[in-house]
Amino acid sequence: AKSAGGNRFELADPESDARAITRHGLTTALPTALDRGEFFIEYQPLVHLGDGSVRGAEALVRWLHPQHGVLSPDRFIPLAEHTGLIVPLGRWVLEQSVLQARAWRDLHGGAEALGPLRINVNLSPCQLTHPGLVQDTVEILERTGMSPDALCLEVTESALIGADDDLLKPLRRLAEMGVDIALDDFGTGYSNLANLRRLPVSVLKLDRSFTQSMQRFPADPVDLKIVEGIVSLAHSLDLAVTVEGVETGAQAEQLRVLGCDTAQGWYYARPGPRTASTTWPWSTRRA
Ligand code: C2E
Ligand code: CA
Ligand code: CA
Ligand code: CA
């Protein structure tokens, strides 16, 4: 809380002081947290808007901190990026997620029964510039016996703005192998739409802010037009459109009518479960 009109003296801000202390503590504890096994992953299903089937799940990392409890990635991913831990942490998330996908596949009688189920894993910009990305990914897929088609890597739009060929090269390699690349938080950056053709992406993940604007009724006609435009552009470039942050059935219906392909959000399921899952966690039927 800031002092209202105080330009004569500054009040200490206890809240931000506490945050700074916590941030310092977290930064100190972070490097060993991976070895101590304090991270875990929750999964959130991606649901086909046309038929309601689960088509995959996004892996979302959490930190079970011994003092602070469960911390959301917004609290520690920036610190992990700053300290370099993001590379081993990201590799761990990738490996765990692919292993989980493998376990679900085995549980449901092989690849066929599972249909097009995919696992989505977030990549930080630091991982993109790390030379081991392609090799680590190939190694994990080979060791787990999973096909590259089962994996989708999510990269934020902002990480790729103005990306030169060197940055795109590892993503191109992965895309050629069959790994899907999704452009996350799409619509929040200022990417040149024509530039999309240059990027090795096959999925656009429309940012939550668009979904939120569908909440108002009637929805803002300009927002509707924008989403309609993005969807038709995406489809003309052979990209699938995923929407995130779907919280109500009305939003889902609106986005389905606008032509979006898959959706993710609390309306379908919160990220979960908190414990390692050997069964299919969602009541929503599979493809
Ligand atoms: P994101 O990739 O945009 O992930 C979607 C976020 O929206 C998640 O937050 C998810 O829990 C939340 N969400 C899902 N459905 C709804 C909904 O219906 N309504 C609302 N209001 N929110 C919803 P979360 O789990 O806190 O993750 C935050 C961000 O942290 C992610 O945003 C992603 O950028 C980053 N992140 C998560 N896991 C990883 C990871 O393994 N590696 C990296 N580099 N980043 C990660
Ligand atoms: Ca994401
Ligand atoms: Ca997102
Ligand atoms: Ca985000």
Side-chain angles (χ1 to χ4, degrees):
K2 281 210 176 108
S3 58
N7 48 6
R8 275 178 302 153
F9 56 91
E10 275 195 37
L11 288 177
D13 183 338
E15 195 187 317
S16 77
D17 283 353
R19 285 216 152 224
I21 292 164
T22 310
R23 200 178 321 116
H24 177 74
L26 294 184
T27 310
T28 313
L30 197 57
T32 47
L34 191 55
D35 292 333
R36 284 196 304 265
E38 291 173 1
F39 294 105
F40 67 100
I41 300 173
E42 292 188 320
Y43 298 89
Q44 188 177 37
L46 284 132
V47 177
H48 190 256
L49 278 165
D51 63 13
S53 62
V54 174
R55 295 300 172 95
E58 179 175 6
L60 296 160
V61 68
R62 280 92 178 80
W63 180 6
L64 180 55
H65 189 281
Q67 278 93 48
H68 303 292
V70 175
L71 299 177
S72 79
D74 294 328
R75 295 284 301 279
F76 63 85
I77 290 288
L79 301 178
E81 289 175 336
H82 191 68
T83 57
L85 185 78
I86 192 68
V87 170
L89 176 60
R91 196 188 299 129
W92 179 82
V93 171
L94 181 64
E95 177 175 44
Q96 293 303 304
S97 307
V98 172
L99 279 170
Q100 179 65 80
R102 170 72 205 240
W104 283 329
R105 194 191 79 180
D106 291 349
L107 191 74
H108 291 279
E112 270 158 55
L114 232 119
L117 180 106
R118 282 185 309 187
I119 197 85
N120 286 38
V121 178
N122 292 287
L123 272 196
S124 141
C126 312
Q127 290 173 272
L128 267 186
T129 51
H130 186 265
L133 176 67
V134 175
Q135 202 186 321
D136 288 347
T137 308
V138 170
E139 193 267 321
I140 288 170
L141 289 169
E142 279 176 354
R143 186 154 41 82
T144 52
M146 289 298 280
S147 154
D149 302 328
L151 179 64
C152 177
L153 296 174
E154 302 193 357
V155 185
T156 58
E157 184 189 18
S158 56
L160 293 187
I161 284 177
D164 59 11
D165 270 347
D166 281 348
L167 193 75
L168 295 178
K169 212 177 271 168
L171 286 184
R172 280 219 181 88
R173 272 292 297 128
L174 292 164
E176 281 160 15
M177 284 165 40
V179 173
D180 268 313
I181 311 291
L183 209 48
D184 206 353
D185 299 347
F186 186 79
T188 54
Y190 297 91
S191 60
N192 179 349
L193 288 182
N195 219 3
L196 275 178
R197 285 168 54 183
R198 209 170 65 85
L199 302 177
V201 297
S202 48
V203 180
L204 289 190
K205 279 192 93 167
L206 212 55
D207 190 69
R208 189 157 72 221
S209 52
F210 291 103
T211 311
Q212 273 164 356
S213 72
M214 301 297 139
Q215 183 68 6
R216 294 187 284 276
F217 188 82
D220 181 342
V222 176
D223 284 342
L224 292 178
K225 282 283 171 214
I226 291 172
V227 174
E228 223 176 359
I230 291 175
V231 169
S232 86
L233 175 88
H235 286 167
S236 73
L237 294 171
D238 251 346
L239 307 176
V241 179
T242 298
V243 286
E244 50 181 28
V246 175
E247 294 180 359
T248 68
Q251 286 173 329
E253 177 56 16
Q254 182 74 264
L255 291 158
R256 186 190 66 78
V257 169
L258 288 168
C260 299
D261 303 291
T262 43
Q264 184 181 352
W266 297 344
Y267 173 61
Y268 303 101
R270 300 246 172 183
R274 285 273 154 117
T275 51
S277 163
T278 49
T279 59
W280 186 249
W282 303 293
S283 56
T284 327
R285 71 188 176 84
R286 285 176 297 119

